[in-house]
Amino acid sequence: GEQHKTVATAEHVLRDLAGAEMERGDVVVVVGGGVVGDLAGFCAAVYQRGMRHVQVPTTVVAQVDSAYGGKTGVDLPEGKNYVGAYHQPSAVLCDPAALDSLPPEELAAGYAEVVKTALIAGGPLWARVRQGGDVDARTIMGCVRTKLAVVGADERDADRRQVLNLGHTVGHAVEAATAYTRYRHGEAIAIGLLAALRLSGRDALRAEVAELLSARGLPVRFSGAPVDDVLALVERDKKRVGGRVPFVLVEAPGEVTPGHEVAPAELRAAVEEVHAG
């Protein structure tokens, strides 16, 4: 779980690698979901200044998003993914059959990343996802191709890659404000997506996305933390530049752009709208 994605856990893994006498020419094989992938990928990036790793994603979030692109890292109490490195996997072995073993709530949590990616892609992928069908191999491959096209154009997050943060600015703040114990990552991103669509002024699209998420049992409002705590964490988002936090907004499916400045009052209104209190 996210509560174990810490520097302390990374030290434990690194010391186990050293205890096993792993060498730089060896390979770390990472079997699991997004937390395991981020953590073990980070350890591979820093152990003896870098060794190869192979991602074997077993959750929806990992298969459609987090296993690809080379972002690795762990959290600090001050913010999510504050410690990390870019370290591309040597391979990603993705078997959709692995998803058959997941409980329903875990399948649902991953669906938020599918919707996010489809909004970025637009076109056939959005047309397929908006029908509300199951996440099958075709949908997974559509998400993978969308993400890799974005990463291939901007590996180090200088510009275009920031669109992949759609819904994550508020979503990450909700995760951190609730101590990473109340919501799965995908559940928090579902809430963040709705906040981003409200900030985008796309009411009809927001209603459609809310219906897709609700149909999977995903939360559309959060509880367990006050609005002010979430807003404070948004202000500390790791993507802030010059003290300003840029937002990813949606003009339409397939027309998603980063770098938008949002007025404080608008942000507060959007977060209050997704607050259950």
Side-chain angles (χ1 to χ4, degrees), residues 20-248:
E21 299 184 355
M22 293 284 280
E23 300 176 355
R24 289 186 64 190
D26 293 329
V27 180
V28 174
V29 180
V30 186
V31 183
V35 169
V36 175
D38 283 4
L39 171 70
F42 173 69
C43 291
V46 299
Y47 180 76
Q48 295 187 1
R49 296 192 178 92
M51 61 189 301
R52 292 175 296 161
H53 75 295
V54 172
Q55 295 274 351
V56 185
T58 61
T59 65
V60 179
V61 169
Q63 290 200 2
V64 304
D65 183 70
S66 64
Y68 317 90
K71 280 189 175 180
T72 71
V74 296
D75 304 331
L76 295 179
E78 289 78 10
K80 187 175 168 72
N81 295 326
Y82 257 41
V83 179
Y86 291 96
H87 190 53
Q88 296 292 348
S90 296
V92 180
L93 306 180
C94 178
D95 183 358
L99 305 181
D100 295 342
S101 66
L102 295 180
E105 58 271 19
E106 191 64 42
L107 285 169
Y111 190 69
E113 291 285 2
V114 174
V115 173
K116 178 208 79 173
T117 307
L119 285 170
I120 292 168
L125 183 59
W126 170 245
R128 184 177 180 81
V129 169
R130 74 188 302 190
Q131 294 173 1
D134 291 335
V135 180
D136 56 14
R138 186 176 171 187
T139 299
I140 292 169
M141 185 56 72
C143 291
V144 171
R145 286 177 172 147
T146 299
K147 178 162 186 178
L148 293 184
V150 172
V151 172
D154 175 27
E155 181 183 7
R156 295 299 179 109
D157 235 1
D159 184 26
R160 179 61 184 166
R161 184 168 180 165
Q162 293 173 24
V163 299
L164 298 172
N165 203 47
L166 176 63
H168 284 58
T169 304
V170 171
H172 282 172
V174 168
E175 284 185 274
T178 53
Y180 303 111
T181 58
R182 193 177 187 93
Y183 297 103
R184 290 175 172 83
H185 173 69
E187 293 169 341
I189 297 312
I191 295 164
L193 275 176
L194 297 178
L197 289 168
R198 170 60 68 228
L199 291 169
S200 301
R202 296 293 171 258
D203 293 346
L205 183 59
R206 185 187 187 281
E208 182 177 6
V209 168
E211 187 173 337
L212 285 172
L213 299 173
S214 295
R216 299 293 173 125
L218 286 164
V220 294
R221 294 177 182 271
F222 73 92
S223 59
V227 168
D228 284 344
D229 285 5
V230 172
L231 291 172
L233 284 159
V234 167
E235 290 302 314
R236 294 212 302 264
D237 188 273
K238 67 183 183 300
K239 287 185 170 61
R240 70 186 184 277
V241 179
R244 183 180 68 87
V245 178
F247 281 81
V248 180

